[in-house]
Amino acid sequence: MAVTTPSASPLTALDVVRDAPVIPVIVLYDVRHAVPLARALVAGGIRMLEITLRTPQALECMRAIAAEVPEAVVGAGTLRSAQDAEAVLRAGARFAVSPGFTPALARACRSAGLPLLPGVATSSEILAAQDEGLSALKFFPAMQAGGVALLKAWQGPFADVLFCPTGGVQPGNARELLALPNVACVGGSWLAPAPALEQGDWNAITALARQASGLRPDDLK
């Protein structure tokens, strides 16, 4: 169930993963790209935006989008510490994504009011995340760790968990992943390709977002 407006409160992890078929994994090196990119993605039907903490400009990009694109829901990716959680919250992030899971990070995000999608790749990590009350998880690195086969194996023991597979996900395999009952959405970097960013080809990014918005499980049924 999608949230009704970007400013709806409180936002939950389920709201995040159920909003659209794809959460774009965005790496920004130029703050000038942040706002037009966000507008282009929103125009194509994608508004949950994961801005990764992989560049020195990431926090400034989050602040710009939060201030100038109210239709977007700013998320922060690559969180690794409680300090990261505090920093992205101040920058306007409304949800968080991490490459792995620790109880300390889960508690820091909960204290900050940031819904967290922690990365998991094993059954033990899923159990640890559930111990912290988390039931919407990022499966990372998805294709390298087992892909569709592992997700199918998890359906039995973890029927109450929803996953966002990320890592090696492309349009060619996204549909098969989205057809699984325990996959709510996928994460992918193809919605913000570096050449389009460098050229300012926002129409191309909107077209990619529209295509991603149409990656529904029903397409395979």
Side-chain angles (χ1 to χ4, degrees):
M1 181 176 61
V3 290
T4 54
T5 69
S7 60
S9 182
L11 187 70
T12 71
L14 288 177
D15 293 328
V16 174
V17 299
R18 289 174 171 167
D19 196 71
V22 182
I23 296 175
V25 179
I26 301 167
V27 181
L28 287 170
Y29 292 92
D30 190 334
V31 178
R32 294 173 298 176
H33 294 158
V35 168
L37 170 65
R39 288 175 175 158
L41 290 168
V42 168
I46 301 293
R47 64 195 185 112
M48 298 288 171
L49 312 182
E50 179 188 339
I51 313 299
T52 62
L53 289 177
R54 300 181 191 178
T55 70
Q57 298 82 6
L59 292 173
E60 190 175 350
C61 290
M62 291 179 208
R63 283 191 286 268
I65 295 170
E68 299 187 44
V69 193
E71 303 88 355
V73 180
V74 177
T78 327
L79 263 71
R80 297 171 55 188
S81 67
Q83 291 75 21
D84 286 343
E86 294 169 3
V88 303
L89 182 67
R90 290 194 300 268
R94 296 192 57 226
F95 68 92
V97 185
S98 64
F101 170 82
T102 69
L105 181 58
R107 292 165 192 169
C109 287
R110 184 164 58 246
S111 177
L114 279 173
L116 173 66
L117 299 177
V120 299
T122 69
S123 296
S124 295
E125 290 169 336
I126 295 171
L127 289 171
Q130 287 188 302
D131 282 346
E132 292 295 327
L134 303 173
S135 60
L137 310 175
K138 171 182 173 178
F139 173 31
F140 178 81
M143 303 314 295
Q144 297 87 341
V148 169
L150 186 52
L151 285 162
K152 287 182 176 178
W154 280 340
Q155 286 176 18
F158 300 114
D160 54 341
V161 177
L162 284 176
F163 295 96
C164 172
T166 306
V169 179
Q170 298 292 334
N173 56 26
R175 290 179 184 272
E176 185 179 9
L177 290 163
L178 287 163
L180 299 174
N182 58 347
V183 171
C185 66
V186 300
S189 60
W190 78 87
L191 295 184
L197 290 174
E198 293 165 3
Q199 297 163 18
D201 192 349
W202 312 121
N203 288 335
I205 288 175
T206 294
L208 289 171
R210 287 197 181 111
Q211 292 167 5
S213 297
L215 289 172
R216 296 295 182 186
D218 288 345
D219 292 344
L220 291 179
K221 296 177 181 179

